[in-house]
Amino acid sequence: MLSITRVAISSRALSMAPKFCAAAAASNGSFRMMSLEADLNKKEKVEEDRYIRQKEHELYLARKAKADAEAASRELSEVEVVAKKIHDDTVSEVFGVLSKTGDKVSDACVENIANWKIGN
């Protein structure tokens, strides 16, 4: 009887041993796979963040260049406004002189006299 029990226990232990070892290996392997998967996910996240930062930086540079161009055009228009004011004041002065003398000239002539006086 003892030998039958021993054979039954040993056969049962041998039949369970591969399952236990396989389960241990599978759990250890799956843990490694989960660790590897987590590492890959972290790497992908870092690469995605880097790509997003690069795209945001490129968009920032484009917006900054556009804003600088608009500011330059506004400054240029301010210079043009000052030049136009000087030109209009000179034309008014020429018309004032012509009205005092009673002379009549064309508008193109008045423009030319104003440009000459300004120094253009």
Side-chain angles (χ1 to χ4, degrees):
M1 171 93 150
L2 192 57
S3 67
I4 293 174
T5 308
R6 195 175 351 156
V7 171
I9 291 173
S10 65
S11 66
R12 183 169 168 103
L14 290 175
S15 68
M16 290 180 65
K19 292 178 187 174
F20 178 73
C21 293
S27 69
N28 188 18
S30 68
F31 178 72
R32 268 184 112 176
M33 290 299 282
M34 286 179 16
S35 175
L36 182 61
E37 183 179 352
D39 290 345
L40 287 175
N41 285 339
K42 287 178 186 176
K43 183 178 179 183
E44 288 175 2
K45 177 73 171 142
V46 167
E47 289 175 355
E48 288 174 3
D49 290 345
R50 184 180 300 143
Y51 177 77
I52 290 170
R53 282 194 308 267
Q54 178 186 2
K55 286 297 180 182
E56 288 175 347
H57 183 67
E58 290 172 0
L59 292 173
Y60 166 75
L61 291 177
R63 284 193 311 267
K64 183 165 175 29
K66 185 178 178 183
D68 289 345
E70 288 176 3
S73 70
R74 270 189 250 126
E75 289 175 9
L76 184 64
S77 67
E78 290 174 3
V79 170
E80 290 174 351
V81 166
V82 170
K84 183 171 176 20
K85 183 178 181 328
I86 292 171
H87 182 266
D88 290 344
D89 291 343
T90 307
V91 168
S92 297
E93 185 181 346
V94 170
F95 274 121
V97 169
L98 289 174
S99 68
K100 287 181 182 173
T101 60
D103 294 330
K104 295 188 180 190
V105 293
S106 67
D107 290 338
C109 179
V110 172
E111 290 288 327
N112 289 334
I113 293 171
N115 287 337
W116 170 77
K117 183 172 182 187
I118 294 172
N120 290 341

